[in-house]
């Protein structure tokens, strides 16, 4: 199976800076694996790829088959980690125009997302979109009271009951929630919804490998056995304490070295449009985990080569407080070979016989050289190919590095106290008692 490669040849750091942080990484490793660090009640994701409930896993696969048999559309209701991970994997591993494909080609339900913002326009348009479609809902919330998904579920549940009647609607609603507590658990028990468990010891941004991510991913026809095998192999490979043999810990070191040298912004860069949403998931993972106590790298993104025509100038010649982490896919199953044209009006005949992926790879190499020449450090994380196994391993790679990096930074990487501030003000303004 594919190995994740980490290249920091162009990190623009010195070897002693790397060596200096090794003891801190090793201490963070011990703390995380001993379960005696800050936020230790939320480290269930650490061994989840090998300790998950196998019976529930089979129920997830069965539910996905039933959803696809009875519905043209699955609406996934959730916010933050309750949708970002699933959308990342679905975008990466399905057709670029997945929802637009006819059912006979797609073979699985269209997947739409709701409850990740508070927009009456979006929800109205979604209701119009599904008017003549057969629909199922997967509502994801540990509490059931988070404002955005709770509003969406209230509206969409009512629409489903009006369309099918309450008895049939029950069969079409799948709830992923806490095992025992919370409003959604109580509602599911009262109505008889089929439920899947969000582990109490796994926070949202680490939950893609739990039923939170697995049910939507399986419904999209993606091999969740391979996805979990990738995460399981990552669990083993990235637990090696020898840092020189562990690319995950090397990434954690280099992020902290660059932060200590004054870098304030980390840009996650990709060169494949289907991988663009990985950055959205990664931004929440690192932003919520590290942005505390006045500390933390600001996580942002570039989707190249597109963004080289908008943000490339800023990276090349702007303030030197930024570094890039490039996620690179080495091999592609689909490609286009450029052909020779009789009239070379666009001047592209020098590319005749070459593939678009070859051109794209050289765009990546040329950009890396230019940015490094401009004193922008570049780290490169490479996966062999874009499939379920490699996505599972890659996402575990980033989660493990985040936990380790957060401890080195001196913060609790598993809480998010700052998120509550806007909620208090919003509830006050809305008159919530």
């Amino acid at each position: 199976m594919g190995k994740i490669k980490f290249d920091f040849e162009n990190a623009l750091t010195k070897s002693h800076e790397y060596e200096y942080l090794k003891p801190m990484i090793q201490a963070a490793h011990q703390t995380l694996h001993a379960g005696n660090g800050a936020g230790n009640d939320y480290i269930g994701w650490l061994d989840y790829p090998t300790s998950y409930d196998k019976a529930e896993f089979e129920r997830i696969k069965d539910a996905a088959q039933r959803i696809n048999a009875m519905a043209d559309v699955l609406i996934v209701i959730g916010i933050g980690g309750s949708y970002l991970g699933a959308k990342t994997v679905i975008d990466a591993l399905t057709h670029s125009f997945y929802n637009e494909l006819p059912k006979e080609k797609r073979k699985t339900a269209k997947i739409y997302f709701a409850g990740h913002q508070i927009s009456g326009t979006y929800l109205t348009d979604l209701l119009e979109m599904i008017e003549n479609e057969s629909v199922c809902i997967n509502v994801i919330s540990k509490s059931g009271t988070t404002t955005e998904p709770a509003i969406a579920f209230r509206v969409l549940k009512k629409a489903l009951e009006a369309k099918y009647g309450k008895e049939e609607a029950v069969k079409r609603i799948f709830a992923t929630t806490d095992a025992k507590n919370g409003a959604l658990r109580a509602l599911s028990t009262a109505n008889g919804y089929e439920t899947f468990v969000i582990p109490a010891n796994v926070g949202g941004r680490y939950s893609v490998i739990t039923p939170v991510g697995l049910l939507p991913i399986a419904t999209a026809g993606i091999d969740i056995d391979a996805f979990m095998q990738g995460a399981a192999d990552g669990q083993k490979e990235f637990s090696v304490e020898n840092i020189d043999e562990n690319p995950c810990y090397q990434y954690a070191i280099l992020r902290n070295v660059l932060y200590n040298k004054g870098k304030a912004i980390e840009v996650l860069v990709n060169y494949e449009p289907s991988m663009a949403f990985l950055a959205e998931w990664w931004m929440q993972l690192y932003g919520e985990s590290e942005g505390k106590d006045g500390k933390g790298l600001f996580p942002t993104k570039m989707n190249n080569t597109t963004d080289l025509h908008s943000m490339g100038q800023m990276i090349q010649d702007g303030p030197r407080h930024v570094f890039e982490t490039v996620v690179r896919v080495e091999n592609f199953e689909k490609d286009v070979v450029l052909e020779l044209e009789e009239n070379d009006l666009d001047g592209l005949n020098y590319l005749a016989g070459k593939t678009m992926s070859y051109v794209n790879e050289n765009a990546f190499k040329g950009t890396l050289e230019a940015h490094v020449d401009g004193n922008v450090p570049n780290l490169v994380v490479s996966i062999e190919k874009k499939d379920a196994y490699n996505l599972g391993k890659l996402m575990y790679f980033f989660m493990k590095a985040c936990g380790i990096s957060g401890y080195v930074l001196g913060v609790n990487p598993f809480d998010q106290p700052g998120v509550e501030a806007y909620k208090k003000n919003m509830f006050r303004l809305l008159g919530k008692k």
Side-chain angles (χ1 to χ4, degrees):
M1 292 291 191
K3 295 276 188 183
I4 286 183
K5 300 173 187 173
F6 179 62
D7 179 0
F8 56 97
E9 181 182 349
N10 294 293
L12 304 183
T13 57
K14 297 174 182 177
S15 60
H16 73 268
E17 295 169 318
Y18 176 88
E19 295 296 325
Y20 174 73
L21 277 185
K22 275 186 176 180
M24 296 183 189
I25 295 290
Q26 288 165 338
H29 168 93
Q30 294 294 339
T31 298
L32 184 60
H33 282 269
N36 56 15
N40 56 34
D41 48 345
Y42 281 98
I43 60 171
W45 57 272
L46 194 60
D47 65 356
Y48 192 88
T50 53
S51 66
Y52 64 89
D53 184 330
K54 308 304 188 291
E56 183 179 47
F57 189 79
E58 292 304 316
R59 274 203 309 118
I60 289 170
K61 291 193 281 188
D62 178 67
Q65 289 180 343
R66 283 185 282 120
I67 289 168
N68 282 320
M70 71 172 132
D72 299 315
V73 169
L74 173 67
I75 300 175
V76 180
I77 301 174
I79 196 166
S82 294
Y83 93 103
L84 288 167
K87 183 162 171 53
T88 293
V89 178
I90 291 167
D91 280 8
L93 300 182
T94 60
H95 193 283
S96 297
F97 305 98
Y98 176 81
N99 281 346
E100 283 71 44
L101 286 176
K103 183 73 178 277
E104 57 269 20
K105 284 191 175 182
R106 194 178 62 250
K107 303 186 188 309
T108 48
K110 301 175 188 176
I111 298 179
Y112 296 111
F113 292 87
H116 52 289
Q117 25 72 353
I118 310 173
S119 169
T121 300
Y122 181 94
L123 205 50
T124 301
D125 289 348
L126 179 58
L127 287 167
E128 183 181 348
M129 175 69 71
I130 63 172
E131 214 167 43
N132 299 313
E133 304 272 23
S134 177
V135 180
C136 284
I137 289 173
N138 177 207
V139 55
I140 305 168
S141 176
K142 192 172 278 189
S143 68
T145 58
T146 304
T147 305
E148 295 89 342
I151 289 173
F153 184 49
R154 176 178 283 206
V155 172
L156 289 164
K157 178 170 76 74
K158 183 178 179 181
L160 214 63
E161 290 173 347
K163 185 170 188 169
Y164 297 109
K166 288 191 175 182
E167 187 176 334
E168 176 64 20
V170 164
K171 300 175 186 176
R172 293 172 174 270
I173 295 174
F174 299 80
T176 308
T177 189
D178 188 84
K180 298 177 181 178
N181 303 311
L184 184 54
R185 170 54 64 182
L187 186 65
S188 299
T189 301
N191 287 285
Y193 303 147
E194 182 168 359
T195 60
F196 300 94
V197 173
I198 303 174
N201 59 356
V202 178
R205 58 190 179 273
Y206 294 86
S207 68
V208 65
I209 54 177
T210 76
V212 169
L214 294 176
L215 180 56
I217 291 168
T219 303
I222 294 164
D223 185 350
I224 59 172
D225 288 287
F227 181 73
M228 289 301 283
Q229 187 61 55
D233 286 355
Q235 178 187 329
K236 179 180 178 181
E237 291 172 24
F238 307 141
S239 293
V240 174
E241 200 166 353
N242 184 338
I243 295 167
D244 294 330
E245 296 176 3
N246 189 333
C248 176
Y249 288 4
Q250 292 167 13
Y251 173 58
I253 282 185
L254 266 298
R255 297 181 75 251
N256 280 279
V257 167
L258 290 165
Y259 178 73
N260 291 341
K261 288 171 73 72
K263 300 304 179 186
I265 298 170
E266 180 177 8
V267 185
L268 196 75
V269 181
N270 81 86
Y271 283 79
E272 174 55 36
S274 64
M275 294 284 282
F277 216 83
L278 176 72
E280 303 289 342
W281 171 82
W282 173 89
M283 284 163 61
Q284 187 211 10
L285 179 65
Y286 282 87
E288 274 196 353
S289 296
E290 293 189 329
K292 293 156 194 169
D293 306 326
K295 301 177 183 178
L297 286 159
F298 186 90
T300 188
K301 63 183 178 180
M302 283 182 68
N303 300 313
N304 291 346
T305 58
T306 303
D307 288 344
L308 291 175
H309 295 262
S310 57
M311 291 298 292
Q313 176 64 41
M314 173 61 74
I315 299 297
Q316 188 70 46
D317 288 336
R320 301 296 81 183
H321 55 11
V322 63
F323 72 93
E324 296 174 295
T325 296
V326 181
V327 176
R328 176 172 164 263
V329 180
E330 293 179 340
N331 301 295
F332 292 92
E333 291 182 2
K334 299 178 181 179
D335 215 338
V336 173
V337 178
L338 300 170
E339 297 180 355
L340 193 71
E341 290 285 343
E342 185 176 347
N343 296 314
D344 188 24
L345 295 177
D346 52 17
L348 292 179
N349 270 355
Y350 76 100
L351 296 176
K354 295 179 173 63
T355 63
M356 285 185 69
S357 63
Y358 175 81
V359 176
N360 203 28
E361 175 72 5
N362 282 280
F364 148 67
K365 290 177 179 177
T367 304
L368 184 147
E369 287 181 16
H371 289 180
V372 170
D373 287 345
N375 201 31
V376 178
N378 264 249
L379 313 177
V380 182
V381 180
S382 298
I383 59 174
E384 182 182 358
K385 58 183 176 180
K386 191 164 61 74
D387 61 11
Y389 175 86
N390 280 284
L391 258 290
K393 183 179 283 190
L394 179 65
M395 295 178 91
Y396 192 90
F397 170 96
F398 281 124
M399 290 192 292
K400 183 69 179 292
C402 187
I404 294 292
S405 187
Y407 280 155
V408 171
L409 186 63
V411 300
N412 178 352
F414 307 114
D415 69 352
Q416 54 279 341
V419 175
E420 300 305 314
Y422 92 89
K423 294 180 183 179
K424 289 179 183 178
N425 291 338
M426 178 179 70
F427 294 151
R428 173 180 53 80
L429 292 166
L430 291 170
K432 182 179 180 179
K433 304 296 183 184

